[in-house]
Amino acid sequence: MVEFEGKERRIERINQVLAQYKLASLEAARELCLSRGFDPHDIVLQTQAIAFENAAWAYVVGAAIALSKQDKTAEQAALSIGEGLQSFCVPGSVADQRKVGLGHGQLASRLLSSQSDCFCFLAGHESYAAAEGAIKISEYANQVRNQPLRLILNGLGKDAAYMIARMNGFTYVQTQFDYQTGTLNIVKEKVFGKGHRASIRCYGTDDVVEGVAVMHHENVDISITGNSTNAARFQHPVAGTYKKERLLLGKEYFSVASGGGTGRTMHPDNVGAGPASYGLTDTMGRMHCDAQFAGSSSVPAHVEMMGLVGMGNNPMVGASVAVSVAVEQAQ
Amino acid sequence: MSFTNTIESMCPIARGPHHRNSPIPVEGKWVNAIAVTDISGLSNGVGTCAPHQGATKVSINVKNGIIEECLIETVGCSGMTHSAAMASEILTGKTILEALNTDLICDAINVAMRSVFENLAYGRSQTAFSEGGLPVGAGLDDLGKGLRSQVGTAYGTKAKGARYLELAEGYVTRMALDEDNEIIGYEIVQMGKMMSAIADGIDANQALDDSKSVYGRFEDGVQFVDPRKV
């Protein structure tokens, strides 16, 4: 018997969805995937080792739905995976209300489409998790895309960006923003890794203005805005400001709001020490986002609390892409 | 420096009081701290993030304004452990003023840093009255012999009562209950001791047994429960 966190609150809806796609059980869903040569359960735990068991099974259901619907492309499969994730949302929870399961599917689908050129993890706080997501995307997405997807991390903190790049084998891009002229100067680049990881560019910035400049420099057209930070300093303001400027330029920008503030912190900043702090982010996230994810960019437990599954939102983006690609390759 | 016309046209009036700021005790001396480099000392600060989901203790040993040593201990959030890893590299070599406005990536760590700064700026360090302060490395002593943060984890429900998971003595493996089903003691593993033994080449199971001990009236128990399972 399959067991996972919060099963009793979730199983009724999961069973309904399984029945809708003529899948006999969770075990049968996994068997179906295994018979086609991949195991979503494993892919999830490889993406974020501390993910909960329920996250692994949510992707099993999503992948089985995609196989049942005979989705031909990863882009289509991602939407089906979103249905699987949505079936795991606890009824009545924040995750359920905001349809974040479907939102994850839509984001992955968009990432896999030729529409997207550069994806940004607009993350700062706890960005090791953004790195986990980025690594998975860089491994899988380009296996099925015609044009390679460019990936960047753009976050608060130059020291942190350096260390995240070093730890994960990305390319650290050191910038110096000229506040008089508004010019973004690249001081140096340091390549820490080899292969696909080295193609991920990691920026650290000092404030909102520099963060927006990085977005323009890389011509980002899709992003996930990671955890909330001091309202005056970063991330949600970067996404919102950049979105306005992109629209004025007549260019598209698909913005996803995620992080610890979204859905969890509903009140103005009540800590506000130094550059990283929660606050106002639920509101700011709603102001700029095309899709909103509930919980935390990185911490499984905080996402679970919001009623989705126990896996950080950023790693989930990686897992959604990876499983979608695995479905396409199985067809 | 430029002045507005209004100020330029004013006549100068003398300023009478010339008393400096109050001196603060710093490593056995009374110092009128003007610049950040006037401050030395070892102190701790505790902070939490906005949802109070995690907390951090930051301990720093400062010599002439520069952080020479830092200890970052976290509890409650998996993400902040990575932030702590980064902060342990970022903090040292910075002045305490720089450390306030650098990117420590985690709300709780930033708040803890702010608290330590306040302690030091107001002369409330542990080394206020100790001549020459403490040697670099003193912060590590906080962890005790096993070089492990002191973590307490206890859980309870009205329906099922208390579960001790980790206490000062170590990781709780069993709780002893008396005939009234009340907790009267527990068995623990000293994790630091066990890991040191394993590192020294002792077989893991042997090390586990050697690191077990009991607390309270454990032997008098009529029932023993694993707090994580039962």
Side-chain angles (χ1 to χ4, degrees):
Chain A
M1 181 63 95
V2 175
E3 291 297 339
F4 51 78
E5 301 80 1
K7 186 177 172 184
E8 66 290 347
R9 294 189 297 167
R10 295 180 161 99
I11 195 67
E12 193 181 326
R13 185 182 283 174
I14 295 167
N15 282 337
Q16 282 168 8
V17 172
L18 287 172
Q20 190 187 331
Y21 290 100
K22 300 193 169 50
L23 294 160
S25 63
L26 288 162
E27 289 90 340
R30 191 176 186 182
E31 274 306 314
L32 176 61
C33 299
L34 288 171
S35 73
R36 306 293 280 273
F38 70 103
D39 187 359
H41 191 280
D42 273 6
I43 293 174
V44 168
L45 296 178
Q46 279 163 15
T47 308
Q48 189 177 31
I50 58 171
F52 287 18
E53 193 68 10
N54 58 16
W57 284 100
Y59 279 96
V60 167
V61 171
I65 292 173
L67 292 173
S68 303
K69 283 164 68 176
Q70 298 185 317
D71 290 335
K72 289 282 174 281
T73 63
E75 199 179 330
Q76 286 171 333
L79 297 175
S80 301
I81 288 165
E83 288 181 52
L85 296 174
Q86 189 63 34
S87 75
F88 271 67
C89 289
V90 174
S93 63
V94 172
D96 186 31
Q97 286 169 31
R98 296 191 187 166
K99 300 276 177 278
V100 298
L102 298 177
H104 271 284
Q106 286 156 2
L107 172 62
S109 178
R110 168 105 186 195
L111 271 178
L112 290 158
S113 80
S114 53
Q115 209 179 349
S116 302
D117 166 48
C118 182
F119 180 61
C120 173
F121 279 94
L122 194 49
H125 184 129
E126 297 154 8
S127 292
Y128 279 27
E132 286 165 355
I135 289 166
K136 220 52 180 181
I137 294 172
S138 71
E139 256 177 52
Y140 281 85
N142 294 337
Q143 292 179 22
V144 297
R145 284 172 52 98
N146 296 328
Q147 279 291 100
L149 181 72
R150 291 185 298 116
L151 279 167
I152 71 164
L153 272 71
N154 179 16
L156 179 64
K158 292 176 194 272
D159 288 331
Y162 178 90
M163 283 187 271
I164 288 159
R166 185 185 68 194
M167 196 70 80
N168 292 289
F170 302 159
T171 295
Y172 172 61
V173 187
Q174 188 185 348
T175 56
Q176 180 69 53
F177 189 70
D178 184 333
Y179 288 88
Q180 254 79 47
T181 62
T183 328
L184 182 79
N185 298 305
I186 291 180
V187 180
K188 69 170 184 190
E189 297 189 10
K190 183 157 184 177
V191 184
F192 282 105
K194 297 191 191 91
H196 62 86
R197 286 189 180 206
S199 68
I200 301 170
R201 293 163 69 78
C202 193
Y203 292 84
T205 67
D206 284 332
D207 78 331
V208 173
V209 190
E210 188 177 13
V212 174
V214 167
M215 301 294 274
H216 281 296
H217 174 76
E218 287 285 358
N219 208 18
V220 171
D221 52 12
I222 179 167
S223 76
I224 182 168
T225 307
N227 204 355
S228 44
T229 59
N230 185 323
R233 287 288 295 262
F234 211 65
Q235 274 150 336
H236 290 291
V238 169
T241 309
Y242 180 63
K243 184 161 193 171
K244 180 208 151 196
E245 294 180 8
R246 284 282 288 190
L247 295 178
L248 286 175
L249 291 169
K251 295 177 176 176
E252 279 190 57
Y253 173 52
F254 186 87
S255 174
V256 179
S258 165
T262 55
R264 300 204 304 136
T265 323
M266 299 288 199
H267 53 85
D269 193 347
N270 64 351
V271 174
S277 79
Y278 293 85
L280 267 182
T281 47
D282 188 54
T283 304
M284 286 196 286
R286 290 189 197 195
M287 283 155 66
H288 71 76
C289 78
D290 296 286
Q292 188 159 11
F293 295 164
S296 161
S297 348
S298 59
V299 181
H302 300 176
V303 180
E304 165 69 20
M305 284 173 195
M306 294 296 101
L308 180 52
V309 290
M311 187 173 193
N313 279 320
N314 282 335
M316 279 185 79
V317 181
S320 302
V321 166
V323 176
S324 303
V325 170
V327 171
E328 177 176 320
Q329 289 171 341
Q331 299 290 15
Chain B
M1 202 179 325
S2 62
F3 292 86
T4 64
N5 285 339
T6 317
I7 303 298
E8 288 280 13
S9 63
M10 286 176 175
C11 66
I13 298 174
R15 298 173 63 247
H18 292 295
H19 184 66
R20 299 184 67 182
N21 62 343
S22 297
I24 58 169
V26 172
E27 298 192 341
K29 295 187 182 69
W30 289 88
V31 175
N32 287 92
I34 309 294
V36 76
T37 47
D38 295 334
I39 290 173
S40 296
L42 184 139
S43 192
N44 315 289
V46 174
T48 66
C49 57
H52 297 188
Q53 205 133 22
T56 301
K57 184 180 126 192
V58 168
S59 311
I60 52 175
N61 200 349
V62 177
K63 303 288 181 188
N64 303 316
I66 309 281
I67 299 172
E68 293 290 344
E69 175 190 9
C70 65
L71 170 67
I72 298 105
E73 297 164 79
T74 68
V75 61
C77 167
S78 56
M80 71 197 299
T81 60
H82 287 162
S83 305
M86 291 192 259
S88 68
E89 189 169 329
I90 292 170
L91 279 174
T92 49
K94 286 201 162 59
T95 69
I96 52 172
L97 190 60
E98 273 181 289
L100 283 186
N101 254 324
T102 195
D103 301 306
L104 300 179
I105 317 302
C106 161
D107 228 11
I109 298 177
N110 274 293
V111 174
M113 183 58 225
R114 182 177 70 188
S115 300
V116 195
F117 178 87
E118 285 170 356
N119 282 354
L120 290 163
Y122 287 125
R124 297 174 194 141
S125 64
Q126 291 186 24
T127 43
F129 303 106
S130 51
E131 197 129 4
L134 288 167
V136 173
L140 199 63
D141 295 346
D142 249 8
L143 293 178
K145 218 177 155 191
L147 292 187
R148 207 158 175 269
S149 287
Q150 304 301 308
V151 176
T153 314
Y155 177 75
T157 53
K158 188 179 167 197
K160 302 288 181 178
R163 297 290 184 280
Y164 302 165
L165 300 171
E166 191 143 11
L167 300 173
E169 296 82 14
Y171 180 94
V172 180
T173 44
R174 285 191 295 165
M175 305 195 309
L177 309 181
D178 66 8
E179 54 280 5
D180 297 324
N181 244 7
E182 294 183 43
I183 303 164
I184 54 167
Y186 44 86
E187 176 190 64
I188 58 256
V189 175
Q190 282 177 275
M191 299 298 287
K193 190 178 166 188
M194 181 177 79
M195 295 310 290
S196 303
I198 292 170
D200 289 344
I202 312 276
D203 171 71
N205 279 317
Q206 184 66 42
L208 176 65
D209 285 342
D210 293 349
S211 310
K212 274 188 179 168
S213 56
V214 298
Y215 187 91
R217 293 166 49 218
F218 188 79
E219 289 85 357
D220 298 342
V222 296
Q223 196 190 335
F224 299 92
V225 297
D226 178 338
R228 288 174 180 76
K229 286 188 179 153
V230 183

